[in-house]
Amino acid sequence: MRIGVLTSGGDCPGLNAVIRGAVLKGTKIHNQSFIGIRDGWKGVVEGLTMPLDRHTVRGLGKQGGTILGTSRTNPFEGPHGGPENVQATLDRIGVDALIAIGGEGTLAAAKRLTDAGLKIVGVPKTIDNDLDATDYSFGFDTAVEIATEAIDRVRTTAESHKRCMVVEVMGRHVGWIALHAGMAAGAHAILIPEQPQSMEQICDWVQQVSDRGRAPIVVVAEGFTLNTMETAHSEKGLDAFNRPRLGGIADMLAPEIEARTGVESRATVLGHLQRGGVPSAYDRVLSTRLGMAAIDSIMREEWGTMVALRGTEVVNVPFEDAVGRLKTVPEDRYEEASILFG
Amino acid sequence: MRIGVLTSGGDCPGLNAVIRGAVLKGTKIHNQSFIGIRDGWKGVVEGLTMPLDRHTVRGLGKQGGTILGTSRTNPFEGPHGGPENVQATLDRIGVDALIAIGGEGTLAAAKRLTDAGLKIVGVPKTIDNDLDATDYSFGFDTAVEIATEAIDRVRTTAESHKRCMVVEVMGRHVGWIALHAGMAAGAHAILIPEQPQSMEQICDWVQQVSDRGRAPIVVVAEGFTLNTMETAHSEKGLDAFNRPRLGGIADMLAPEIEARTGVESRATVLGHLQRGGVPSAYDRVLSTRLGMAAIDSIMREEWGTMVALRGTEVVNVPFEDAVGRLKTVPEDRYEEASILFG
Amino acid sequence: MRIGVLTSGGDCPGLNAVIRGAVLKGTKIHNQSFIGIRDGWKGVVEGLTMPLDRHTVRGLGKQGGTILGTSRTNPFEGPHGGPENVQATLDRIGVDALIAIGGEGTLAAAKRLTDAGLKIVGVPKTIDNDLDATDYSFGFDTAVEIATEAIDRVRTTAESHKRCMVVEVMGRHVGWIALHAGMAAGAHAILIPEQPQSMEQICDWVQQVSDRGRAPIVVVAEGFTLNTMETAHSEKGLDAFNRPRLGGIADMLAPEIEARTGVESRATVLGHLQRGGVPSAYDRVLSTRLGMAAIDSIMREEWGTMVALRGTEVVNVPFEDAVGRLKTVPEDRYEEASILFG
Amino acid sequence: MRIGVLTSGGDCPGLNAVIRGAVLKGTKIHNQSFIGIRDGWKGVVEGLTMPLDRHTVRGLGKQGGTILGTSRTNPFEGPHGGPENVQATLDRIGVDALIAIGGEGTLAAAKRLTDAGLKIVGVPKTIDNDLDATDYSFGFDTAVEIATEAIDRVRTTAESHKRCMVVEVMGRHVGWIALHAGMAAGAHAILIPEQPQSMEQICDWVQQVSDRGRAPIVVVAEGFTLNTMETAHSEKGLDAFNRPRLGGIADMLAPEIEARTGVESRATVLGHLQRGGVPSAYDRVLSTRLGMAAIDSIMREEWGTMVALRGTEVVNVPFEDAVGRLKTVPEDRYEEASILFG
């Protein structure tokens, strides 16, 4: 059997370790061969491949990014998309089964393709940790670690200048990175999409900390929104909120906090720093295990499932249980973290 | 209510974060007061205390070690030991209930004391991750991360000199740190107490790697033993194994590997590096949550239980389920890792 | 003698190590006592002090920021400013001589005050490394290290997505951080204030790298400017350049590069990350030595001088040699780095 | 012209960056070609080569170790050694001139070879920083940083257990790494080969710290020796000093300190950790500049010289000024550091 491997969507620390885990177990234990599909579903649709064997994956465990490249192409779009075309392309490039490593969109596409008879096993990839069917996804731990170290760093500047620091982390729809990094770094407020807050509440937290003579640290997920149509009491503030965003939410919050509380405030947007570079040991182990489990699932012909972490075990979950549901931060976890606020 | 907190046994990254989590939730939510018991059970027996309030725990989340100090004293030994004396001392210093943060010994002692009527809740502490009743214990992730980074470092030296590097990590009775750090860093052999190996097998792995022109990396837990009474074929090797150990197991394996394979071999013993310093974000979050859960357990009067991680949840587990059983590396996890060997 | 110590201007990793070096040598060797002046020159003008002795500086070597606080107050402004008022305040709070740790503005103010008879010794502080009279200033090495690690990180994302990454680092007037971090991380273009470039040149470098199938990395100092009045060929580009900056120069360059070359481009602004946190070992050693040399200079009554690094030695330099001259990146150093471009 | 490049002696972070700097400048600016000599002088004597061009050095700046391999072979020994044989081999493999990257031994050999007419330029490599003709050598900064971080880590364990920690760092003949790491990490005693101390003095420092209720940190260079023939007052101590060393000097000091002071003491030997892994930004910049300067020296036919750092400049120094003289830690630098002791 020849197994194709693809990585799709935004890159994530641990992708290469998944690939390596699958290839090493597949070649050494199951005697299968592999082929790399380049640039995600685009490679499937267009038949872009690269060699993928034991030598290709040497030393990949600690390398960030993905050697296969990635894209946001949808395999159902375009003249060569759809199940029949994809199957034809896979036949042409000699792929018997596919390991698709990607996020919600990739898994949803994989589900539709397996429903149409294609042989696909999935590996969940979401740096935001927003897939419901797995306890944790790889890349998340690294992102939290990077964000935590960054907050640790800006804190010393904040304290020296008695400033409020607003640090923006990833999390378009869910606040897991903000929650964990904020708890780890001892933030005085954590703002996440699941829990809209008013400027009054945010400024109250900031003011409490400032009144104790300390420098307030606010961690905000990029997808956070204020819970009411706020009117800023300063021209500057208003302007920031009405203007189309060039920066992120932190760039808007910081001047507004300063205008309302009088506490000098600065924004830091971590952005791409959180996705790149050497994965944490936790993510390397998890990725390697998921990759190995993926090739095992191929051998067991568990088409239409993805591998997932449950407790300390790696299990298989049907695609339908994984897609269409966002794993949001539950109320009690936010309350737990909010004990540190203010 | 006034709650005493103690830390016992070897130090571990995250101890301070547990203390901080308990104190912050205890003071801000439950309106309880705290007192620090110094130097573990020794402080209980001798009545050594320090103030412990919201201000004491400021900034503790990222600080390694324990501000309370620690010792290996057993509360049942000595003229002031035993339940009655301990209760008397706690009454004298005004402690109504106790949070005991410690390993197997501490939890066993806490069990005997609660059986005798004392009010104690436990927080499991084992950097080796060898307690059965919790998925992971804090400190373990940091230790694995440090060990992984260390192995990454020595690998470049190994490759430049075409040497075999034997890296010794913690793990007296179980091989979790070796297993995870070895998988993360791509070790060519992982040697753990649960899986004795022969020198022949070890040297076979080393030779395979060397024959491919690469530098073999062997990760060994301090508690690993050879599976037979080996006789080394060189004077040097024999001597090393018969001599009382000044260094660790790695210091013995390296010359023996060199003598048998002809591959120049060096040992590195990580030792105390693995226990110290800033905890990883993972450990800071876990520790904070465990500390908060401990004070909640006190409020619910769940005496004789410890807090534990199960999946993504923190639960309570009776002491009797936590002590007397070592969480060893299961066979399938070792087999999974061994795919990377040789 | 009682010596006052102040830190002024933006914070910088190593400030606390300077303070610690001065206090330890001053108390242990010279038997002098110290007093901390809070919040820079503001504290001198307003008489704000804090205790500063051997115990205060315990463990400060590795702590970022400044325990004394800082401000951008000018001691010549306001009703209490000027030499006579400052001297009167120093007399009142019992300060016989002053160690002023700060940048060009601080040293210029210190010069005017010593010219008027005050007893001041300076320690140069500029994270940008832009003071001419010292080989390197503390904080610079840490900033370069942080920036280099950040560029290493974003590179993996860039390669996975075949994107151009534009990373903005500090350097309002000089490009030292960009030069060193860019060389260290292997940037394909380094843009610094001293060397204006055209969009054509920048895009040419980006295109060359992209044509080789790699992901271009552009490092830009915040003070970089294009060398001509450029007209962007896209609406988006024009808009970005005409709009008042909310983000930094990187936020403007990235869309313009993308518009001109067709290479997807992203900006990352490191900002405050570069000033905060634990200083590098290099900066800790340099800071400690400068602090010790400062108190020695006080004892030798070398008023009106600052301590400076020359080769491996710490020397004294008159204030007039240090102020009014910016240490820019020389042509040959930029040429040297530019060998790595494209 | 075709230029051979070799790396010799113990590996060092930055070797690959030197190679990359030379190759990039040589190919892009000087239009020269390169060939890699494998395994140091062994490759010269035996004619072992590998391709070395712009593509070979891609991404090498941050990679530890040396892609060329290294050995401790002396080019004057063996049947194929000596100037005539070496010249004949170089002719055979088509090498017109040689860049030799190595330590004192390599530079001494290079001197003898250039004296005999061979065309060689040197790049000094000593992680110990013990070459007199350069302010700093690459690799040293990385080693100091790693050692400093390690001492930071063990300190928290030391404080929790009120233990003395003896940390052994590299430095067979000189104490630069111990001096800088010890100053950076705030050690209470720094023991270096240049400054023998008595056990009495060492224990006095330890005792002072212990008496203040803190945990003593002793940093010792591997080449440190006691200044008198000491007789230990304990069997254990005596035994440790008389036994042939399996561990390092730290393994002998720790039990002796414990025996004499009663302060529980532990040893940590950093060993190979200090040589491996990703170079610091400082070392990457220095290495790149030295590599570029080396190829410039080749073009200027400055045979018999090595490149060196003086202040902020890279200069050429005749081999005879670089060899035969060890750059030891001067008295005043040790005195400066000793202010932190006890």
Side-chain angles (χ1 to χ4, degrees):
Chain A
M1 199 155 52
R2 189 153 79 149
I3 296 133
V5 183
L6 69 84
T7 53
S8 176
D11 78 320
C12 196
L15 282 169
N16 281 325
V18 175
I19 299 166
R20 167 172 161 273
V23 169
L24 287 182
K25 185 155 196 185
T27 51
K28 293 173 79 171
I29 304 295
H30 300 304
N31 292 308
Q32 305 301 316
S33 70
F34 287 83
I35 186 167
I37 313 282
R38 286 174 44 209
D39 300 339
W41 292 107
K42 187 175 172 225
V44 170
V45 172
E46 300 180 15
L48 311 171
T49 64
M50 61 177 277
L52 185 60
D53 61 19
R54 222 183 123 168
H55 302 288
T56 327
V57 300
R58 178 186 156 184
L60 274 198
K62 59 172 285 193
Q63 195 174 309
T66 164
I67 56 162
L68 300 176
T70 181
S71 71
R72 298 191 186 272
T73 299
N74 181 331
F76 286 89
E77 288 175 2
H80 303 292
E84 290 82 19
N85 288 331
V86 165
Q87 184 63 62
T89 312
L90 292 179
D91 290 345
R92 180 165 60 80
I93 59 179
V95 167
D96 300 301
L98 204 56
I99 295 176
I101 313 168
E104 220 270 342
T106 284
L107 299 173
K111 182 186 179 324
R112 286 177 62 189
L113 291 171
T114 46
D115 286 349
L118 277 77
K119 296 177 175 174
I120 309 179
V121 161
V123 180
K125 173 209 66 76
T126 155
I127 203 164
D128 289 345
N129 196 36
D130 60 2
L131 268 167
D132 196 45
T134 186
D135 279 3
Y136 291 105
S137 47
F138 65 87
F140 171 67
D141 184 70
T142 306
V144 169
E145 185 67 39
I146 294 172
T148 300
E149 288 175 16
I151 304 168
D152 284 351
R153 285 211 171 270
V154 298
R155 182 189 290 277
T156 61
T157 291
E159 293 284 353
S160 300
H161 291 268
K162 310 263 189 314
R163 273 182 199 152
C164 170
M165 284 286 183
V166 184
V167 182
E168 181 175 325
V169 301
M170 286 188 299
R172 215 172 284 273
H173 306 297
V174 303
W176 287 106
I177 293 177
L179 184 84
H180 278 231
M183 278 189 84
H188 301 101
I190 300 174
L191 307 176
I192 62 176
E194 295 90 332
Q195 299 277 351
Q197 303 287 354
S198 65
M199 276 308 304
E200 280 75 22
Q201 174 64 77
I202 298 169
C203 289
D204 183 49
W205 285 323
V206 166
Q207 194 71 59
Q208 282 179 40
V209 179
S210 181
D211 288 348
R212 292 204 307 275
R214 297 189 56 198
I217 305 289
V218 177
V219 175
V220 58
E222 57 183 331
F224 169 77
T225 48
L226 291 170
N227 71 349
T228 52
M229 215 40 190
E230 301 268 342
T231 49
H233 72 236
S234 74
E235 284 300 298
K236 197 176 164 199
L238 255 178
D239 185 43
F241 278 87
N242 293 335
R243 204 188 312 178
R245 288 192 199 180
L246 183 55
I249 176 79
D251 292 314
M252 289 188 294
L253 287 175
E256 184 63 18
I257 290 170
E258 181 167 325
R260 289 185 180 222
T261 63
V263 179
E264 199 187 2
S265 299
R266 293 283 186 276
T268 298
V269 181
L270 297 185
H272 294 93
L273 289 185
Q274 298 162 87
R275 323 191 73 92
V278 177
S280 70
Y282 181 98
D283 278 336
R284 296 196 218 173
V285 172
L286 176 56
S287 302
T288 303
R289 295 183 71 195
L290 291 176
M292 288 179 174
I295 184 67
D296 289 346
S297 307
I298 293 270
M299 300 312 292
R300 290 193 310 262
E301 308 201 337
E302 299 209 37
W303 318 124
T305 69
M306 68 169 208
V307 292
L309 182 71
R310 290 278 170 83
T312 60
E313 298 303 309
V314 177
V315 300
N316 280 75
V317 174
F319 283 152
E320 53 262 37
D321 292 0
V323 300
R325 217 164 13 193
L326 213 55
K327 182 172 63 182
T328 52
V329 173
E331 184 76 22
D332 65 324
R333 288 297 308 276
Y334 190 72
E335 268 172 29
E336 185 184 54
S338 70
I339 291 161
L340 308 172
F341 293 3
Chain B
M1 200 155 50
R2 190 152 80 150
I3 296 134
V5 183
L6 70 84
T7 53
S8 176
D11 77 320
C12 195
L15 281 169
N16 281 325
V18 175
I19 299 167
R20 168 172 159 273
V23 170
L24 286 182
K25 186 154 193 186
T27 51
K28 293 173 78 172
I29 305 295
H30 300 305
N31 292 309
Q32 304 302 316
S33 70
F34 288 83
I35 186 166
I37 312 284
R38 287 172 46 207
D39 300 339
W41 293 109
K42 187 175 171 228
V44 170
V45 172
E46 300 182 13
L48 310 171
T49 63
M50 60 179 277
L52 185 60
D53 60 19
R54 223 183 124 169
H55 302 288
T56 326
V57 300
R58 177 184 158 188
L60 274 197
K62 57 172 288 195
Q63 195 175 310
T66 164
I67 54 160
L68 299 178
T70 181
S71 71
R72 298 190 187 275
T73 299
N74 182 331
F76 285 87
E77 289 174 1
H80 305 292
E84 289 80 22
N85 289 330
V86 165
Q87 183 63 62
T89 311
L90 292 179
D91 290 344
R92 179 166 59 81
I93 60 178
V95 167
D96 301 301
L98 204 57
I99 296 177
I101 314 168
E104 220 269 343
T106 285
L107 300 173
K111 183 186 177 324
R112 286 176 64 190
L113 291 171
T114 47
D115 286 350
L118 278 76
K119 297 178 175 175
I120 309 180
V121 161
V123 180
K125 174 210 66 76
T126 155
I127 205 164
D128 289 346
N129 196 36
D130 59 2
L131 267 167
D132 196 44
T134 185
D135 279 3
Y136 291 105
S137 47
F138 65 88
F140 171 67
D141 184 71
T142 305
V144 170
E145 185 67 41
I146 294 171
T148 300
E149 288 175 16
I151 304 168
D152 284 352
R153 286 212 171 268
V154 299
R155 182 189 290 278
T156 61
T157 292
E159 293 284 353
S160 301
H161 291 268
K162 309 260 188 313
R163 274 183 199 153
C164 170
M165 284 287 182
V166 185
V167 181
E168 180 176 325
V169 301
M170 288 187 298
R172 215 172 284 273
H173 306 294
V174 303
W176 286 107
I177 293 177
L179 183 86
H180 278 231
M183 280 189 83
H188 302 102
I190 299 173
L191 307 177
I192 62 176
E194 297 90 332
Q195 298 278 348
Q197 304 286 353
S198 66
M199 275 309 305
E200 282 74 22
Q201 175 61 77
I202 297 169
C203 289
D204 182 49
W205 285 322
V206 166
Q207 195 70 60
Q208 283 180 40
V209 179
S210 181
D211 288 350
R212 293 203 307 274
R214 297 188 57 198
I217 305 290
V218 177
V219 175
V220 59
E222 56 183 331
F224 169 78
T225 50
L226 293 170
N227 71 347
T228 52
M229 215 40 188
E230 301 268 342
T231 49
H233 72 237
S234 74
E235 286 300 299
K236 194 176 162 200
L238 254 178
D239 184 44
F241 279 86
N242 292 333
R243 201 189 316 179
R245 287 191 197 180
L246 183 56
I249 176 79
D251 291 313
M252 290 188 293
L253 286 174
E256 185 63 19
I257 290 171
E258 181 167 326
R260 291 187 179 219
T261 63
V263 179
E264 198 186 3
S265 300
R266 293 283 186 277
T268 298
V269 180
L270 298 186
H272 294 94
L273 288 184
Q274 300 162 85
R275 319 191 76 92
V278 177
S280 70
Y282 180 98
D283 278 335
R284 295 196 220 174
V285 172
L286 176 56
S287 302
T288 303
R289 293 185 71 197
L290 291 176
M292 288 178 176
I295 185 67
D296 289 345
S297 307
I298 292 271
M299 299 313 293
R300 290 193 309 263
E301 308 202 338
E302 301 210 36
W303 317 123
T305 70
M306 70 170 208
V307 292
L309 183 71
R310 289 278 170 83
T312 59
E313 299 302 311
V314 176
V315 299
N316 280 73
V317 174
F319 283 152
E320 54 262 36
D321 292 1
V323 300
R325 217 165 14 196
L326 214 54
K327 182 172 65 183
T328 52
V329 173
E331 185 75 24
D332 65 323
R333 288 298 306 276
Y334 190 72
E335 269 173 26
E336 185 185 55
S338 71
I339 292 159
L340 308 172
F341 293 2
Chain C
M1 199 156 51
R2 190 151 81 149
I3 296 132
V5 183
L6 69 85
T7 54
S8 175
D11 78 319
C12 195
L15 281 169
N16 281 325
V18 174
I19 298 166
R20 168 172 159 271
V23 169
L24 286 182
K25 186 155 195 186
T27 51
K28 293 173 80 170
I29 305 296
H30 300 304
N31 292 309
Q32 305 301 316
S33 69
F34 288 84
I35 186 167
I37 312 283
R38 287 172 46 208
D39 300 340
W41 293 109
K42 184 173 173 231
V44 170
V45 171
E46 301 181 14
L48 311 171
T49 64
M50 59 179 277
L52 185 59
D53 61 20
R54 221 182 126 170
H55 302 289
T56 327
V57 300
R58 179 186 157 185
L60 274 197
K62 58 171 287 193
Q63 194 174 310
T66 164
I67 54 160
L68 299 177
T70 181
S71 71
R72 297 192 187 274
T73 299
N74 181 331
F76 285 89
E77 289 176 1
H80 305 292
E84 289 81 20
N85 289 331
V86 165
Q87 184 64 61
T89 312
L90 293 180
D91 290 345
R92 179 164 60 81
I93 60 178
V95 167
D96 301 300
L98 204 56
I99 296 177
I101 313 168
E104 221 269 343
T106 285
L107 300 172
K111 183 187 178 324
R112 285 177 63 190
L113 290 172
T114 47
D115 287 350
L118 278 76
K119 297 177 175 176
I120 308 179
V121 161
V123 180
K125 174 209 65 78
T126 153
I127 204 164
D128 289 345
N129 197 35
D130 59 2
L131 268 167
D132 197 43
T134 185
D135 279 3
Y136 291 105
S137 47
F138 65 88
F140 172 67
D141 184 71
T142 305
V144 170
E145 185 67 40
I146 294 171
T148 300
E149 288 176 17
I151 304 168
D152 284 352
R153 285 212 170 268
V154 299
R155 182 189 291 277
T156 61
T157 291
E159 293 285 353
S160 300
H161 291 268
K162 310 261 190 313
R163 276 183 198 150
C164 170
M165 284 285 183
V166 184
V167 181
E168 180 175 325
V169 300
M170 286 187 297
R172 215 172 285 272
H173 305 295
V174 304
W176 287 106
I177 293 177
L179 184 86
H180 278 231
M183 279 188 85
H188 302 102
I190 299 173
L191 308 177
I192 62 176
E194 296 90 333
Q195 298 278 348
Q197 303 287 352
S198 66
M199 275 310 304
E200 281 75 22
Q201 174 63 77
I202 297 168
C203 289
D204 183 49
W205 285 324
V206 165
Q207 194 70 60
Q208 282 180 41
V209 179
S210 181
D211 288 349
R212 293 202 308 275
R214 295 188 58 197
I217 305 289
V218 177
V219 176
V220 58
E222 56 183 332
F224 169 77
T225 49
L226 292 170
N227 72 349
T228 53
M229 215 39 188
E230 300 269 342
T231 49
H233 73 238
S234 75
E235 284 301 299
K236 196 176 162 199
L238 256 177
D239 185 44
F241 278 86
N242 292 334
R243 202 187 315 178
R245 286 193 198 180
L246 182 55
I249 176 79
D251 291 315
M252 289 189 293
L253 286 174
E256 186 62 20
I257 290 171
E258 181 167 325
R260 290 186 180 220
T261 63
V263 179
E264 197 187 3
S265 299
R266 292 283 185 278
T268 298
V269 180
L270 297 186
H272 295 93
L273 289 186
Q274 299 161 88
R275 320 191 77 92
V278 177
S280 70
Y282 181 97
D283 278 336
R284 294 196 220 174
V285 172
L286 176 56
S287 303
T288 303
R289 294 184 70 196
L290 291 176
M292 288 178 175
I295 184 67
D296 289 346
S297 308
I298 292 271
M299 299 314 292
R300 290 194 309 264
E301 309 201 337
E302 300 209 38
W303 317 124
T305 69
M306 69 170 205
V307 291
L309 182 71
R310 290 278 169 82
T312 60
E313 299 302 312
V314 176
V315 300
N316 280 73
V317 175
F319 282 153
E320 53 262 37
D321 292 1
V323 299
R325 215 164 17 194
L326 213 55
K327 181 172 65 180
T328 52
V329 172
E331 185 75 23
D332 65 324
R333 288 298 307 275
Y334 190 73
E335 269 172 25
E336 185 185 57
S338 70
I339 292 160
L340 308 172
F341 293 1
Chain D
M1 199 154 54
R2 190 154 79 150
I3 296 131
V5 182
L6 71 85
T7 52
S8 177
D11 78 320
C12 196
L15 280 168
N16 281 325
V18 174
I19 299 167
R20 168 172 159 271
V23 169
L24 286 182
K25 186 154 195 185
T27 51
K28 294 173 79 170
I29 305 295
H30 300 304
N31 292 310
Q32 304 301 315
S33 70
F34 287 83
I35 187 166
I37 313 282
R38 286 174 44 209
D39 299 340
W41 293 108
K42 186 175 172 225
V44 170
V45 171
E46 300 181 14
L48 310 171
T49 64
M50 60 178 277
L52 186 59
D53 61 20
R54 218 183 127 168
H55 302 289
T56 327
V57 299
R58 177 186 158 186
L60 274 198
K62 59 171 285 192
Q63 195 174 310
T66 163
I67 56 161
L68 300 176
T70 180
S71 71
R72 299 193 186 271
T73 299
N74 181 331
F76 285 88
E77 289 176 0
H80 305 292
E84 289 81 20
N85 288 330
V86 165
Q87 183 63 63
T89 312
L90 292 179
D91 290 345
R92 179 165 60 80
I93 59 177
V95 168
D96 300 300
L98 204 56
I99 296 176
I101 313 168
E104 220 269 344
T106 284
L107 300 172
K111 184 187 177 324
R112 286 177 62 190
L113 291 171
T114 46
D115 287 349
L118 277 77
K119 297 177 175 173
I120 308 180
V121 161
V123 180
K125 174 208 67 76
T126 155
I127 204 164
D128 289 345
N129 196 37
D130 60 2
L131 268 166
D132 196 45
T134 185
D135 279 2
Y136 291 105
S137 48
F138 65 88
F140 171 67
D141 184 72
T142 305
V144 170
E145 184 67 39
I146 294 171
T148 300
E149 288 176 16
I151 304 168
D152 284 351
R153 284 210 172 272
V154 298
R155 181 189 291 278
T156 61
T157 290
E159 293 283 354
S160 300
H161 291 268
K162 309 263 189 311
R163 276 183 197 149
C164 170
M165 284 287 182
V166 184
V167 181
E168 180 175 325
V169 301
M170 286 188 297
R172 216 172 284 274
H173 305 295
V174 304
W176 286 106
I177 292 176
L179 184 84
H180 278 230
M183 279 189 84
H188 302 102
I190 300 173
L191 307 176
I192 62 176
E194 296 90 334
Q195 298 278 350
Q197 304 287 353
S198 65
M199 275 308 305
E200 280 74 22
Q201 174 64 78
I202 297 169
C203 290
D204 183 49
W205 285 323
V206 166
Q207 194 70 59
Q208 283 180 40
V209 179
S210 181
D211 287 349
R212 293 204 305 276
R214 296 188 57 196
I217 305 290
V218 177
V219 175
V220 58
E222 56 185 331
F224 169 77
T225 49
L226 292 170
N227 71 349
T228 52
M229 213 44 187
E230 300 269 343
T231 49
H233 74 235
S234 76
E235 285 300 297
K236 194 177 164 201
L238 256 178
D239 184 44
F241 278 87
N242 293 334
R243 201 188 316 179
R245 286 192 198 182
L246 183 56
I249 176 78
D251 291 314
M252 289 188 294
L253 286 175
E256 185 62 18
I257 289 171
E258 181 168 325
R260 290 186 180 223
T261 63
V263 179
E264 198 188 2
S265 299
R266 292 283 185 280
T268 298
V269 181
L270 298 186
H272 294 93
L273 289 185
Q274 299 160 87
R275 319 190 78 91
V278 177
S280 70
Y282 181 98
D283 278 335
R284 296 196 217 173
V285 172
L286 175 56
S287 302
T288 303
R289 295 184 70 195
L290 291 176
M292 289 180 175
I295 185 66
D296 289 345
S297 307
I298 293 271
M299 299 314 293
R300 290 193 309 264
E301 307 200 338
E302 301 208 38
W303 317 124
T305 69
M306 70 169 205
V307 292
L309 181 72
R310 291 276 171 83
T312 60
E313 299 302 310
V314 176
V315 300
N316 280 73
V317 174
F319 282 150
E320 54 261 38
D321 293 0
V323 299
R325 213 165 16 192
L326 213 55
K327 181 172 63 182
T328 53
V329 172
E331 184 75 23
D332 64 324
R333 288 298 306 276
Y334 189 72
E335 268 171 27
E336 184 184 56
S338 70
I339 292 161
L340 307 172
F341 292 2

